[in-house]
């Protein structure tokens, strides 16, 4: 499984503060629910369509889960932003300095996990992984058209 693209010129850290939302959390499983609720609340405040909000919360949850479960990061940084004409960008930054790689998992029928990047691949218009200018680790991102 590989990202649709490898970079996106409009970085979330360069966007208007009124159109972005960031939350930094400990890299613990309990933080995933906090990130989902925080992002969901902000998306509703922006009056975005319900289906877009649901997809965005699911994608951010999957990206954050991967950062918590598959890196040695102590903290993760989750962000969302409206970055262009109808584009919602989601980012999760970790502190893993080993390089921008994503491991492919093949989930069995009875497996509880292993489908996160498959969901990202299916729901996102584009997605990718880059070196984070904010943490020095990875920045895994996904874009959705509003």
């Amino acid at each position: 499984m590989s990202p649709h693209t490898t970079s996106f010129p409009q970085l979330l850290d360069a966007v208007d503060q009124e159109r972005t939302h960031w939350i930094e959390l400990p890299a613990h499983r309990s933080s995933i629910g906090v990130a989902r609720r925080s992002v969901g609340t902000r998306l509703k405040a922006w009056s975005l369509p319900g289906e877009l909000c649901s997809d965005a919360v699911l994608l951010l949850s999957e990206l954050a889960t991967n950062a918590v479960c598959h890196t040695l990061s102590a903290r993760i940084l989750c962000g969302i932003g409206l970055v262009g004409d109808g584009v919602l960008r989601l980012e999760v930054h970790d502190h893993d300095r080993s390089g921008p790689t994503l491991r492919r998992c093949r989930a069995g029928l009875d497996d509880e996990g292993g489908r996160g990047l498959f969901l990202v691949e299916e729901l996102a218009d584009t997605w990718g992984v880059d070196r984070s200018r904010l943490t020095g680790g990875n920045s895994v991102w996904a874009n959705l058209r509003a």
Side-chain angles (χ1 to χ4, degrees):
M1 184 173 310
S2 63
H4 290 201
T5 62
T6 57
S7 64
F8 188 74
Q10 181 89 33
L11 298 174
L12 195 51
D13 61 336
V15 179
D16 178 1
Q17 295 291 334
E18 294 295 316
R19 298 168 53 98
T20 61
H21 173 71
W22 288 98
I23 184 168
E24 184 176 19
L25 298 163
H28 298 285
R29 287 186 179 268
S30 60
S31 294
I32 306 306
V34 174
R36 272 195 309 264
R37 286 187 296 279
S38 176
V39 166
T41 298
R42 181 55 60 105
L43 292 170
K44 287 178 187 169
W46 287 341
S47 300
L48 296 174
E51 185 175 334
L52 176 67
C53 293
S54 296
D55 287 350
V57 168
L58 175 59
L59 286 176
L60 188 89
S61 176
E62 294 300 333
L63 297 178
T65 298
N66 282 346
V68 167
C69 294
H70 302 294
T71 72
L72 298 176
S73 299
R75 301 192 66 77
I76 60 171
L77 181 62
C78 303
I80 59 170
L82 299 167
V83 296
D85 293 334
V87 175
L88 177 65
R89 183 171 173 97
L90 315 157
E91 294 182 8
V92 174
H93 298 250
D94 63 42
H95 293 272
D96 184 351
R97 297 177 189 264
S98 64
T101 60
L102 300 175
R103 291 185 202 102
R104 181 184 297 217
C105 292
R106 299 226 185 259
L109 292 175
D110 296 328
D111 291 343
E112 290 184 25
R115 294 173 183 83
L117 290 179
F118 174 76
L119 288 171
V120 173
E121 178 86 19
E122 292 299 310
L123 292 175
D125 293 305
T126 56
W127 70 284
V129 59
D130 293 306
R131 180 60 55 203
S132 172
R133 295 189 328 217
L134 302 175
T135 65
N138 297 309
S139 169
V140 184
W141 55 268
N143 292 323
L144 293 170
R145 289 244 174 248

